[in-house]
Amino acid sequence: MFSKACEYGIRAAVYIALQSLDGRRVSVNEIAEEIDSPIAFTAKILQQLSRNNIIHSVKGPTGGFEIAREDMDAVKLNMIVKAIDGDKIYVGCGLGLKECNAQKPCPLHDKFVDIRTDLSKMLKSTSLFELATGLEVGLTYLKR
Amino acid sequence: MFSKACEYGIRAAVYIALQSLDGRRVSVNEIAEEIDSPIAFTAKILQQLSRNNIIHSVKGPTGGFEIAREDMDAVKLNMIVKAIDGDKIYVGCGLGLKECNAQKPCPLHDKFVDIRTDLSKMLKSTSLFELATGLEVGLTYLKR
DNA sequence: TAAATAAAGGACATTTTTGTCCGATTAATG
DNA sequence: CATTAATCGGACAAAAATGTCCTTTATTTA
Ligand code: FES
Ligand code: FES
């Protein structure tokens, strides 16, 4: 569904949001540890998110990553997915034709579009804050 | 969503079904031409489908691939997807945890499972025959 | 101002996916 | 029985995704 990079990106963003709720800035090392991801690869992904203004980074001692409280509401999953995986899951054809096109649809088009629309709506309506709170209460997990 | 191999596999299977409705057996070369896919790679995928009894192959002159009329109804997309991509789309966690587990769910679990269930239902209920008929009538396309 | 800390970024390495090539096998036909 | 047409199967090649390492840059603090 999502690339590994995107999965790490979402997990990382949720963890940063959770810690930012406590006013804590976190380092790549801590993030990678807490979401069980490869450190250097995770660093690359965080750079992408930072460049896309999804998370905020601070260099130097006491630096790290954080997300402002308002941004946790404003940042929806679709923004993270788009920043990392691009829009292929939104415009791609389920059977691999150049692009999805209702004028010349593939045999699976109608059924595929239904699913994709649901997915898209879900991603557009799910905020980082929402995901972080489940974690905070101990209902959900970022690693096992 | 699906791998390239799986996309080619579905397109190929639908094309074979369409031609089998006319009693025509088709070669790898014809299939690759008609679905716009790499020939040798497509051959590999057809072997997989053949080994999984999803399509039938005949060697030698006048040979090729075909699907019996009854099988077009019996073969659902989920069988093709499972034969090529395995069951990762059915049991995988949306955020990349080892496996999806409602006991220790990731933050996206509930919402992800909804989508995945819809996708799974759709694949389980869509037959090759159904997809081939849309093509036959000229409503849908396997290449552009 | 020097040392230490943390992200940024580029080059490189590994693994997986996608794709190619070619000889072996099977079967139809003259 | 020889030829030919087709899939089968293994080895290989290329490309993309994933992952690592190391140097540079910015910033804090002693
Ligand atoms: S054309 Fe294939 S999904 Fe729309
Ligand atoms: S645990 Fe992540 S989707 Fe179920």
Side-chain angles (χ1 to χ4, degrees):
Chain A
M1 188 78 95
F2 307 124
S3 68
K4 277 287 164 202
C6 193
E7 292 173 352
Y8 296 149
I10 295 174
R11 303 224 300 273
V14 173
Y15 181 74
I16 295 167
L18 175 67
Q19 295 304 317
S20 288
L21 284 174
D22 287 350
R24 294 189 63 237
R25 215 177 258 164
V26 289
S27 70
V28 176
N29 290 273
E30 176 178 341
I31 295 168
E33 169 68 26
E34 293 299 323
I35 71 173
D36 193 23
S37 66
I39 300 180
F41 191 46
T42 304
K44 285 288 144 79
I45 297 159
L46 292 173
Q47 282 180 43
Q48 283 189 267
L49 295 181
S50 182
R51 276 196 290 266
N52 282 274
N53 300 307
I54 287 167
I55 61 181
H56 181 233
S57 76
V58 179
K59 278 184 171 185
T62 79
F65 296 90
E66 64 192 0
I67 304 178
R69 177 64 186 79
E70 321 85 72
D71 291 345
M72 292 181 208
D73 290 317
V75 173
K76 313 292 187 187
L77 286 192
N78 74 306
M79 296 165 65
I80 299 182
V81 172
K82 195 156 202 167
I84 299 175
D85 282 349
D87 56 9
K88 60 178 180 264
I89 91 162
Y90 303 110
V91 306
C93 163
L95 294 191
L97 303 193
K98 300 303 176 206
E99 76 275 304
C100 176
N101 175 348
Q103 255 54 56
K104 251 191 153 181
C106 73
L108 203 58
H109 178 83
D110 289 358
K111 296 180 174 196
F112 185 77
V113 166
D114 284 349
I115 307 277
R116 193 180 55 191
T117 300
D118 287 348
L119 174 63
S120 181
K121 277 184 189 160
M122 185 272 273
L123 294 176
K124 272 195 180 62
S125 66
T126 303
S127 71
L128 274 188
F129 179 74
E130 181 180 350
L131 297 184
T133 48
L135 254 192
E136 198 175 26
V137 184
L139 286 177
T140 62
Y141 303 82
L142 287 176
K143 68 169 178 180
R144 295 199 200 96
Chain B
M1 189 77 94
F2 307 124
S3 68
K4 276 287 164 201
C6 193
E7 292 172 353
Y8 295 148
I10 295 173
R11 302 223 300 272
V14 173
Y15 181 73
I16 295 167
L18 175 67
Q19 295 305 317
S20 288
L21 283 174
D22 287 349
R24 293 191 62 239
R25 212 177 260 166
V26 287
S27 70
V28 175
N29 289 276
E30 175 179 340
I31 294 168
E33 169 66 24
E34 293 300 322
I35 71 173
D36 193 23
S37 65
I39 300 179
F41 192 46
T42 303
K44 285 287 145 75
I45 297 160
L46 292 173
Q47 281 180 43
Q48 283 189 267
L49 295 181
S50 181
R51 275 195 292 265
N52 282 273
N53 300 307
I54 288 167
I55 61 180
H56 181 233
S57 75
V58 178
K59 278 185 171 184
T62 78
F65 297 90
E66 62 192 0
I67 304 179
R69 177 63 187 80
E70 320 87 72
D71 291 346
M72 292 183 207
D73 289 318
V75 172
K76 313 292 186 186
L77 285 192
N78 74 305
M79 298 166 64
I80 299 182
V81 173
K82 195 155 202 169
I84 298 176
D85 282 350
D87 56 9
K88 60 177 181 266
I89 92 162
Y90 303 109
V91 306
C93 163
L95 294 190
L97 303 192
K98 301 303 175 206
E99 77 274 304
C100 178
N101 175 348
Q103 256 52 57
K104 251 191 154 180
C106 73
L108 202 58
H109 178 82
D110 288 358
K111 295 180 175 197
F112 184 76
V113 167
D114 283 350
I115 308 278
R116 194 181 52 192
T117 301
D118 286 348
L119 174 62
S120 181
K121 277 182 189 162
M122 184 272 272
L123 294 176
K124 273 194 181 60
S125 67
T126 304
S127 70
L128 275 188
F129 179 74
E130 183 181 350
L131 298 184
T133 48
L135 255 193
E136 199 175 26
V137 184
L139 286 176
T140 63
Y141 304 81
L142 287 175
K143 69 169 179 180
R144 296 201 202 92

